Amino acid sequence: MKGVTPVLSAIAPLNMVKFKEGDKPSAHGGNPDAFADVKAGKTQHFAWAFDWTKGGCGFGFTGFHFFANMTNDSFRTTMLNGVAWVSGLEIPAGGIASKTPAQAELDAMMTVARGAGAMPVGHAKPVLETPLMMAKNPKPRLIDIDVAIKNAKELYLVASDQGRISCDWASWIEPRLILADGKGIDVTTLKWKGEERGYGRTQIGKNNAGGPIQVEDQVYANGIGTHASSTIAYDFPAGVERFTAKGAIDDGGMVRAGKLSDAAMRFHISTALLR
Amino acid sequence: MKSLLALAFLTAAAFAQPRDIFDYTGQNNAAAGTKRLVFIAAKGTHGGGGQHEFFAGASYLARRINETYPQAFSVVYPENNWPKDLTKADAIILLLNHGGKAADDVNIKAACDRGAGFAAIHYGVEAFSAKDEWYDHMRLVWR
C-alpha cells in the first residue's frame, strides 16, 4: 500500500463471508484475493487517497450506491474533498462546506439529470419539440413531425420521459430524411451510430418489447420502437433538407391494469450534442 | 499600478463568469490557471430510482466545486458524449457502472501521465480487463 492513505475502512459484516467457495456476491464480485481477505476478517478500504510519486493524486471511493447518501454531511464532504484534492484545490480546514440537501432537492436533481420535460442533458437545443403526449390525455395519438435540418451533419432522435420512466413506449413511425430533389431516405434502413433507452430495446420495425409497432390498433411495419428516455443518433448522408416522421406512444404503453397508464413523453429532434 | 489593477479586475471578471457544468467550450477557453475538472458520468439508474444516480451526483459535485472555488471550472460529460480532448484537464473524475472504457482510453492515460488527478466513484473503480499498468496510471495501485 505504498503511497496509499486509507480514508474509510471497515471489516466486512458476517453476511459477506457466508458465500460458498467460488460463489460471487454479485456480477461485480468475485475477486479471490479480496474474498480471502473478507473471509479472514481483515480490514477493507472503501475510500482511499493515493499520492503518486510521478505527480498527480488519486481518490477512489466505492460508495455512492444511494443518492440519498448525499444528505449525510460526512459522506458528502468526503466526496467533495476527494474530488477537490485530486484537482489540486486547497481543502479548507473542516472540509468543503455545503448545505445539506433535502430529499426533495435530490429528487429534483435526479429528475433534471434524466431530462424531464426537456431534452436529456448533453444535447444542443432541439430544432423541434413536440407537445407533451400522455396516455391519460390521449389525443392526438400520432404527432406529425416535419422539420428543416439543412446543413446538419448529425441527427438525434430523442424521446424524453418527463421525469419518470414509466410505460413510455415511444415509436418513431415512417421516419424519413428528405433530399433536395424530394426523394426520401427511409431512416430505418440507416445504421445508427448509437442509441440508448430507458428500458427494453430500441428496434427497427418492432416496439421496445419486440411486438409490432401499433397505434390505435393500427400496425405500422415501418418504424423504430424504443422506450423513453431514448436517444437514437445518426450521421447524415449528404444533401438532406428535412426530417419527417410520426411520433406516438405505442399501444403497448397505453394501458396498465385496465387503466390509462402513466406514459408521458415528448419527441425532440436535435442536430448536435453540446461540445 | 493602474494596469496591474486593471489586470486584477479583468482576471476577477474572467473568474466571475458563470461556469456552466455543460459549457465545454467555456472550460476550454477559461483563463490560464483555471483548474479544469472533467467529470464523466453514466446517465440513468439501475436497481431502482435513487440508486447509481451518477449523472445527478456528478452534476451536484461539479456545481459545488464551481461555487466553492472561483478558480475551478468543472464540467460534466454524459458517458455517451465521452470527452475526447483532455489535454487541459487537471482532474478526471469517473462516476460509472464500470471503469473499463476509461481503462482503455488513451487520452485519460496521457492526462494522468502528464500529472492530472484522477478519481473514481463506485463501480468506476473497477475494470475487469485492466492490466496492472492501468491501475498505476489510475492511481489505484497498492502493490
Side-chain angles (χ1 to χ4, degrees):
Chain A
M1 301 247 306
K2 194 160 177 276
V4 173
T5 306
V7 175
L8 297 168
S9 306
I11 293 169
L14 278 176
N15 63 3
M16 279 292 291
V17 299
K18 281 186 187 155
F19 298 100
K20 291 191 205 104
E21 210 66 56
D23 277 1
K24 288 185 173 191
S26 78
H28 293 273
N31 177 332
D33 297 333
F35 194 57
D37 273 5
V38 167
K39 278 185 89 168
K42 288 188 187 165
T43 300
Q44 303 296 304
H45 307 299
F46 50 98
W48 61 93
F50 183 55
D51 209 343
W52 207 26
T53 48
K54 295 180 209 172
C57 304
F59 174 68
F61 181 33
T62 63
F64 199 47
H65 182 95
F66 293 104
F67 197 37
N69 290 147
M70 284 298 208
T71 59
N72 180 299
D73 293 341
S74 172
F75 184 102
R76 186 178 69 255
T77 308
T78 301
M79 282 181 78
L80 282 167
N81 289 352
V83 164
W85 182 68
V86 299
S87 311
L89 295 162
E90 195 171 328
I91 313 296
I96 295 174
S98 63
K99 191 166 92 31
T100 310
Q103 185 59 44
E105 290 175 77
L106 296 184
D107 289 346
M109 286 179 220
M110 289 188 277
T111 303
V112 169
R114 292 190 204 125
M119 295 283 288
V121 288
H123 287 271
K125 194 173 180 303
V127 290
L128 180 137
E129 288 182 290
T130 66
L132 176 62
M133 301 183 79
M134 296 175 73
K136 288 197 166 69
N137 182 20
K139 292 289 175 186
R141 287 293 311 281
L142 281 170
I143 289 188
D144 276 314
I145 294 166
D146 185 347
V147 58
I149 43 172
K150 201 173 174 176
N151 300 327
K153 295 195 170 61
E154 297 170 296
L155 176 68
Y156 293 87
L157 304 180
V158 178
S160 60
D161 63 32
Q162 309 306 303
R164 198 165 160 210
I165 299 174
S166 176
C167 313
D168 294 333
W169 295 38
S171 289
W172 297 89
I173 293 167
E174 293 158 8
R176 298 285 183 272
L177 294 170
I178 310 297
L179 302 171
D181 62 7
K183 279 189 189 155
I185 297 174
D186 180 349
V187 175
T188 67
T189 65
L190 302 176
K191 188 173 161 37
W192 58 59
K193 63 176 177 177
E195 65 82 24
E196 55 178 30
R197 75 230 79 88
Y199 193 77
R201 291 173 61 196
T202 299
Q203 306 195 75
I204 302 290
K206 293 174 183 172
N207 64 36
N208 80 82
I213 292 172
Q214 188 176 307
V215 181
E216 292 191 299
D217 298 326
Q218 184 177 338
V219 171
Y220 293 87
N222 184 271
I224 307 171
T226 186
H227 195 297
S229 179
S230 156
T231 302
I232 312 167
Y234 298 90
D235 281 326
F236 257 24
V240 172
E241 301 249 325
R242 309 187 72 75
F243 171 78
T244 65
K246 294 180 182 69
I249 303 178
D250 200 276
D251 281 358
M254 285 294 290
V255 175
R256 290 293 178 271
K259 291 181 182 165
L260 292 172
S261 77
D262 293 330
M265 66 187 73
R266 281 178 208 270
F267 293 84
H268 316 252
I269 314 297
S270 173
T271 56
L273 293 173
L274 280 177
R275 298 201 195 282
Chain B
M1 186 61 191
K2 203 174 177 183
S3 62
L4 264 180
L5 274 175
L7 182 65
F9 176 77
L10 281 174
T11 310
F15 283 143
Q17 293 294 315
R19 286 154 290 146
D20 186 274
I21 60 168
F22 304 117
D23 183 3
Y24 309 132
T25 311
Q27 190 203 42
N28 188 53
N29 296 339
T34 302
K35 293 286 185 192
R36 295 173 172 85
L37 286 70
V38 176
F39 289 78
I40 308 174
K43 288 206 290 185
T45 173
H46 66 271
Q51 301 178 56
H52 307 110
E53 298 279 356
F54 296 138
F55 202 86
S59 301
Y60 172 84
L61 293 170
R63 289 202 174 98
R64 290 297 86 72
I65 293 289
N66 286 354
E67 281 172 11
T68 307
Y69 297 96
Q71 76 276 31
F73 198 140
S74 306
V75 295
V76 179
Y77 283 84
E79 199 177 11
N80 66 342
N81 187 20
W82 195 272
K84 293 178 188 76
D85 182 1
L86 294 168
T87 50
K88 291 183 181 173
D90 291 293
I92 295 132
I93 300 119
L94 308 182
L95 289 88
L96 296 172
N97 293 305
H98 189 246
K101 187 172 174 184
D104 297 332
D105 188 298
V106 292
N107 298 318
I108 292 181
K109 180 174 186 334
C112 289
D113 287 346
R114 175 170 54 74
F118 180 85
I121 308 290
H122 208 60
Y123 288 132
V125 302
E126 170 192 78
F128 295 139
S129 61
K131 302 180 184 74
D132 285 347
E133 184 199 18
W134 182 73
Y135 287 98
D136 263 331
H137 83 255
M138 296 306 243
R139 327 268 200 272
L140 300 174
V141 70
W142 50 69
R143 291 199 297 275

